[in-house]
């Protein structure tokens, strides 16, 4: 075997060893280390910020979900179950055609312009529904009270949070539907209102899924 062939064989051997070492380090050891640290220090976040109830996972604090009544035959869209707090309108890119049991929206905004006729109609219809749904005996919602997040979807279309203002607007209706006092439901909202991250990032918010599970517990104790 000449020197050229020997050198080529050595280079191939060195390259193969480098490939095996890098594969072991970057493909096995590093992922295991990162996964171990994530599970050890941020287990819930690493697993998708799961919310559990009755010993099972019921959702994620990062993904909004609807609170609707079962759809009736021939009904185009389900009606909201008004005993629960409602989230933002979910107007994403479309519906999930694979797992139709949940009909999850594909994350993304509608990208409709502010003067788009479809968007204007959606907002007007949503505002009218919010006023009607949340007006109960002794408490009437005025159109001027309806906040923007009650009638518009978020950039993702699956925002899990609502503003404290929108949550407060729903307090009288939720209290009426569940036989609770307004004061108790309002305190529930206050207890589940998160401030700005680090005191200056984002806006105060209320996670609807967490709030509704707290509401369920309150109703069961009443």
């Amino acid at each position: 075997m000449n020197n050229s062939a020997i050198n080529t064989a050595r280079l191939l051997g060195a390259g193969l060893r480098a490939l095996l070492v890098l594969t072991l380090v970057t493909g096995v050891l590093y992922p295991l280390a990162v996964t171990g640290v994530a599970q050890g220090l941020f287990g819930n976040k690493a697993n998708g910020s799961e919310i559990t109830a009755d010993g099972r996972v019921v959702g994620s604090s990062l993904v909004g979900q609807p609170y609707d009544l079962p759809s009736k035959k021939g009904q185009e869209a389900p009606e909201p179950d008004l005993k629960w707090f409602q989230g933002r309108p979910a107007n994403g890119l479309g519906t999930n055609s694979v797992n139709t049991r949940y009909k999850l929206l594909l994350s993304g905004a509608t990208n409709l312009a502010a003067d788009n006729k479809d968007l204007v109609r959606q907002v007007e219809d949503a505002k009218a529904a919010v006023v009607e749904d949340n007006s109960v005996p002794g408490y009437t919602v005025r159109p001027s009270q309806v906040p923007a997040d009650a009638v518009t979807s978020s950039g993702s279309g699956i925002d899990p949070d609502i503003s404290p203002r929108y949550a407060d607007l729903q307090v009288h209706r939720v209290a009426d539907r569940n036989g609770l006092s307004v004061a108790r439901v309002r305190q529930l909202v206050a207890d589940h209102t998160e401030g700005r991250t680090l005191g200056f990032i984002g806006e105060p918010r209320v996670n609807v899924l967490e709030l509704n599970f707290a509401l369920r517990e309150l109703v069961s104790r009443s």
Side-chain angles (χ1 to χ4, degrees):
M1 182 179 294
N2 57 37
N3 290 335
S4 177
I6 294 174
N7 290 335
T8 299
R10 287 175 178 173
L11 290 174
L12 289 174
L16 181 59
R17 288 193 297 273
L19 175 62
L20 292 175
V21 170
L22 290 174
T23 299
L24 177 63
V25 173
T26 62
V28 179
L29 298 180
Y30 179 73
L32 285 176
V34 171
T35 301
V37 171
Q39 290 293 331
L41 299 180
F42 315 101
N44 180 259
K45 293 183 183 299
N47 292 327
S49 300
E50 297 172 339
I51 294 179
T52 59
D54 301 327
R56 62 189 180 90
V57 176
V58 296
S60 168
S61 63
L62 303 177
V63 180
Q65 54 183 272
Y67 295 89
D68 297 329
L69 294 170
S71 297
K72 300 176 183 178
K73 186 177 181 179
Q75 188 176 21
E76 292 186 3
E79 297 178 0
D81 189 344
L82 297 179
K83 71 180 180 181
W84 303 110
F85 284 93
Q86 298 293 314
R88 298 185 66 167
N91 297 320
L93 295 175
T95 56
N96 169 26
S97 60
V98 178
N99 188 353
T100 55
R101 177 181 176 185
Y102 296 101
K103 297 187 182 297
L104 298 174
L105 285 170
L106 303 179
S107 179
T110 60
N111 292 331
L112 297 177
D115 60 351
N116 181 278
K117 293 181 180 179
D118 291 336
L119 179 61
V120 172
R121 186 182 68 257
Q122 289 175 12
V123 170
E124 291 176 345
D125 291 346
K127 179 176 285 191
V130 169
V131 170
E132 180 181 357
D133 290 345
N134 291 282
S135 293
V136 297
Y139 178 77
T140 300
V141 176
R142 300 186 303 274
S144 60
Q145 292 177 268
V146 180
D149 63 307
V151 297
T152 58
S153 62
S154 64
S156 69
I158 51 176
D159 193 341
D161 303 322
I162 57 176
S163 65
R165 183 180 170 191
Y166 185 28
D168 186 68
L169 183 121
Q170 302 181 62
V171 163
H172 285 80
R173 183 252 299 160
V174 170
D176 180 72
R177 295 279 176 146
N178 290 283
L180 300 170
S181 70
V182 170
R184 294 184 74 182
V185 178
R186 180 163 284 144
Q187 184 60 51
L188 197 68
V189 171
D191 292 342
H192 287 81
T193 298
E194 299 179 49
R196 292 179 172 88
T197 304
L198 300 179
F200 67 94
I201 300 175
E203 296 293 332
R205 58 201 179 275
V206 181
N207 187 282
V208 181
L209 178 58
E210 294 176 351
L211 177 61
N212 277 334
F213 269 99
L215 172 63
R216 189 182 72 165
E217 293 178 2
L218 179 61
V219 171
S220 66
R221 297 195 306 267
S222 300

